[in-house]
Amino acid sequence: MRLLVTGGAGFIGANFVHATVRDYPEDTVTVLDAMTYAGCRESLAVVDDDIRLVEGDVNDAELVARLVAESDAVVHFAAETHVDNSLADPQSSLRANVLGTFTILEAVRRHGVRLHHVSTDEVYGDLELDDPRRFTESTPYNPSSPYSATKAGSDLLVRAWVRSYGVQATISNCSNNYGPYQHVEKFIPRQITNVLTGRRPKLYGKGANVRDWIHVEDHNDAVRSILAKGQPGRTYLIGAEGERSNLSVLRTLLELMGRDPDDFDHVVDRAGHDLRYAIDPSALSAELGWKPKHIDFADGLRATIDWYRDNESWWRPLKDTVEARYEKRGQ
Ligand code: NAD
Ligand code: TDX
């Protein structure tokens, strides 16, 4: 397959490109990435000779049309992805996530190219801690933040383009990813690199909020299964039964790093902070036979900590700027 991977210089996209080069050497990969603050050429250094990297915006309709016309399938990761940034600057999320997806949809419509749209469980809003239900394909959308509202908007555009124009597209909504190459603004890498730079980890509010963690390789395996075997028009939920409170993740991380598990600061909570996300992944397993491989969270976290320890040159240049921004917000 000739794959066009948007946002391939970001966290999940770069891991997807690594796995494609390793496991599907017959594929060709073109990455289209605007190289925002979240995009990083270094994340693709190990596959530099195996792929084509085009620096450009998914809103550049002419460029997108040209690249789509040369492809068999588009895997659309590109987005503004940080909830805290979307609260401070919602317009950037709207532009990248809604208008960017519109531009991709128009190009795949014109050229009859298969699309997989990568989305998030945050479109479903949040659950109470004791709610026995989890998110499924039929849970109504109820996004809380500018980020999740713009991702929800992008999903609805994809559904409309499938129905109205017969675009061959699938959607996946995945839970919180962790693993190598994640930006240090996000929860797990932020706390690991706080410890590694002699800062105290920062927990929003009481830390009772629950996220459903999945290793990035498992997410990308699922995306690959959907690309190969998914039914156009369908939405698939991806999760690995990994619900944990932020407090428990932080305490585990501190223990794995040889620190006192209470050695962190409680900081100002996020506005509108979603309480709990939980994915029911049974439809994906039953229909496509996908199963996560990284089922021991402590093992995955240990390997992630090791990766950040061994790759300081990748994250060190970003760290002070990110922490200065958080400090201004009291976080
Ligand atoms: P990321 O922020 O690490 O990477 C996003 C990438 O998109 C960056 O390389 C950035 O430069 C690029 N980009 C942003 N705007 C662009 C534009 N206008 N044109 C071209 N490129 C642009 O994000 P991530 O965590 O890798 O997330 C990738 C996708 O997965 C997103 O669509 C996100 O909503 C979704 N997702 C993420 C998670 C998670 O836990 N990180 C979970 C579920 C779904
Ligand atoms: O320093 C922190 N302290 C803290 O307690 C940070 C950065 C976060 N948190 C909390 C907020 C959340 O409850 O940790 C949790 C995880 O925070 P983020 O890493 O910002 O992730 P989240 O808001 O859950 O969204 C992530 O998962 C779904 C991704 O950023 C999204 O792109 C994805 O769609």
Side-chain angles (χ1 to χ4, degrees):
M1 255 196 300
R2 295 169 303 167
L3 289 178
L4 176 62
V5 180
T6 73
F11 162 47
I12 305 174
N15 278 283
F16 180 85
V17 171
H18 298 168
T20 302
V21 168
R22 187 185 62 225
D23 302 334
Y24 299 87
E26 67 286 5
D27 285 355
T28 63
V29 177
T30 297
V31 167
L32 172 63
D33 198 296
M35 295 298 174
T36 69
Y37 80 95
C40 178
R41 277 175 192 279
E42 273 302 298
S43 302
L44 294 171
V46 290
V47 290
D48 204 26
D49 295 337
D50 307 298
I51 65 160
R52 173 169 62 143
L53 172 58
V54 177
E55 181 168 344
D57 197 306
V58 290
N59 281 299
D60 181 341
E62 216 173 287
L63 174 64
V64 167
R66 184 155 50 80
L67 296 176
V68 164
E70 297 166 3
S71 307
D72 300 312
V74 179
V75 187
H76 179 37
F77 291 100
E80 283 293 335
T81 64
H82 194 34
V83 173
D84 294 322
N85 291 347
S86 82
L87 289 162
D89 170 22
Q91 195 169 15
S92 294
S93 301
L94 188 73
R95 196 176 168 281
N97 303 357
V98 179
L99 294 178
T101 302
F102 165 75
T103 308
I104 296 284
L105 280 166
E106 284 293 82
V108 295
R109 166 159 91 101
R110 190 166 325 125
H111 295 287
V113 170
R114 167 90 166 85
L115 169 67
H116 181 70
H117 174 64
V118 178
S119 192
T120 172
D121 60 357
E122 300 197 18
V123 299
Y124 299 112
D126 60 354
L127 297 163
E128 292 300 325
L129 295 178
D130 59 358
D131 193 326
R133 291 170 305 170
R134 299 191 291 176
F135 301 140
T136 68
E137 284 77 0
S138 52
T139 303
Y141 276 31
N142 187 27
S144 320
S145 69
Y147 165 69
S148 52
T150 57
K151 290 298 291 187
S154 69
D155 294 7
L156 297 180
L157 290 178
V158 175
R159 290 182 181 191
W161 262 239
V162 167
R163 168 94 183 245
S164 302
Y165 303 118
V167 161
Q168 300 286 295
T170 41
I171 299 175
S172 56
N173 297 85
C174 186
S175 59
N176 280 63
N177 285 222
Y178 73 99
Y181 297 101
Q182 188 169 27
H183 197 282
V184 292
E185 69 188 354
K186 302 283 168 42
F187 180 54
I188 287 179
R190 183 181 184 207
Q191 312 313 336
I192 295 171
T193 55
N194 274 357
V195 174
L196 294 178
T197 55
R199 295 169 167 98
R200 280 163 69 84
K202 310 289 183 212
L203 188 68
Y204 292 177
K206 291 196 170 68
N209 308 66
V210 168
R211 295 295 181 265
D212 189 354
W213 293 98
I214 182 171
H215 194 280
V216 63
E217 283 173 9
D218 286 330
H219 179 184
N220 282 330
D221 262 8
V223 167
R224 192 73 209 203
S225 298
I226 297 165
L227 199 57
K229 299 183 273 180
Q231 268 179 39
R234 283 284 309 273
T235 287
Y236 296 89
L237 267 61
I238 308 173
E241 320 259 3
E243 283 189 65
R244 269 154 224 281
S245 72
N246 294 339
L247 176 63
S248 95
V249 171
L250 184 52
R251 287 176 63 92
T252 306
L253 187 151
L254 280 162
E255 275 170 345
L256 290 171
M257 296 186 81
R259 301 298 163 114
D260 178 336
D262 292 319
D263 194 11
F264 63 85
D265 297 327
H266 288 277
V267 294
V268 177
D269 206 352
R270 174 181 284 171
H273 197 173
D274 279 341
L275 188 53
R276 171 176 163 238
Y277 305 136
I279 290 266
D280 176 354
S282 53
L284 181 64
S285 308
E287 287 176 39
L288 302 188
W290 171 85
K291 290 251 174 327
K293 295 187 182 83
H294 297 267
I295 44 176
D296 185 324
F297 180 70
D299 274 357
L301 195 53
R302 194 178 294 111
T304 305
I305 292 167
D306 287 345
W307 188 87
Y308 281 89
R309 250 196 248 285
D310 295 343
N311 290 277
E312 184 164 345
S313 62
W314 182 86
W315 56 265
R316 196 69 186 80
L318 311 170
K319 183 67 184 169
D320 292 346
T321 313
V322 165
E323 287 308 314
R325 207 181 313 139
Y326 275 123
E327 206 175 326
K328 270 201 206 134
R329 297 178 192 157
Q331 292 180 317

